[in-house]
Structure formats: C-alpha cells, structure tokens
Amino acid sequence: MTGDTGGPVSLRQIAPDLLLIEVAGRRMLTQAECPHRRGRLRYGYLNGRTLRITCPLHHSTFDLLTGRQVAGPPCGSLRVTLLPEDAASPRSAAEAAEWAAEWAERAEGLRPEAGAP
Ligand code: FES
C-alpha cells in the first residue's frame, strides 16, 4: 500500500475480507478484494488527498466515501462503510476480528456474497 499527501493515511487488513482505512481524519471499512477480479486492495494505491484507492491489478479506482468506481474496467462499486468518530479502534488481532465482525454486521452488505465473481 502506498499513500499520497493530504495527511496521515493508514490501511490495515483486520480480517481476511475487510480493510480498515484511516485517511484525512476519517475511518472506513471496505471489502479487502477489488470487485473486478479480486485484486488485493491492501497493495493498492491510497490517495489521501482525493480519498480514493486504486487496485494494483487493473487500476480500478474507487471513491472511499461512497465506494463508487471512478476509473478502470467496469465492475461496480466497492463496499464501504464510514465509521463514526467515536468508534473505538481495535488494539489486538483478536479484538480486531471481533470488532470487524460487529461492524460488518452493522454495515449490511459490506462483505461480498459467497460465490460472487
Ligand atoms: S482486480 Fe482490481 S481492477 Fe481488476
């Protein structure tokens, strides 16, 4: 993962299928795999200025506030949920798994459906 200017950025894989992204004072959960052909977004390019992430495989780019695809081969939106400012961050791997499960449940439809392309 690489970042751009616009303030501190971080990207953590907190579950096999979820990323926690912190950028420009905002935190969001996203699916870990690109909706195009399952590129691993943790190795993508995170732009802290435009709040976008670009897949390392075929360069689809997604708006991190809406999940909308803004460039690349047509594949639909990235599933994203913005976290409230008061949502605590996980402090350990075990806590991260529990935390991710709770947030994925709250963010209906965040996780890809089984068997989805
Ligand atoms: S897998 Fe991400 S753009 Fe193709």
Side-chain angles (χ1 to χ4, degrees), residues 31-109:
Q31 60 188 90
E33 294 180 337
C34 175
H36 180 232
R37 292 197 182 162
R38 304 178 64 188
R40 294 197 285 175
L41 293 173
R42 66 187 279 194
Y43 300 115
Y45 178 77
L46 181 60
N47 187 318
R49 211 166 6 91
T50 61
L51 300 180
R52 291 178 176 177
I53 190 167
T54 299
C55 177
L57 284 189
H58 312 104
H59 310 292
S60 282
T61 299
F62 303 92
D63 181 303
L64 286 169
L65 297 180
T66 63
R68 188 175 58 90
Q69 184 183 22
V70 295
C75 63
S77 297
L78 183 71
R79 294 175 185 178
V80 173
T81 192
L82 296 175
L83 299 177
E85 286 182 22
D86 61 351
S89 289
R91 290 169 296 205
S92 66
E95 195 174 293
E98 195 173 301
W99 189 88
E102 180 185 332
W103 276 104
E105 195 172 294
R106 286 197 217 179
E108 187 177 321

Side-chain angles (χ1 to χ4, degrees), residues 7 20 28 33 69 76 101 109-110:
L20 171 62
M28 63 273 306
E33 294 180 337
Q69 184 183 22
L110 182 63

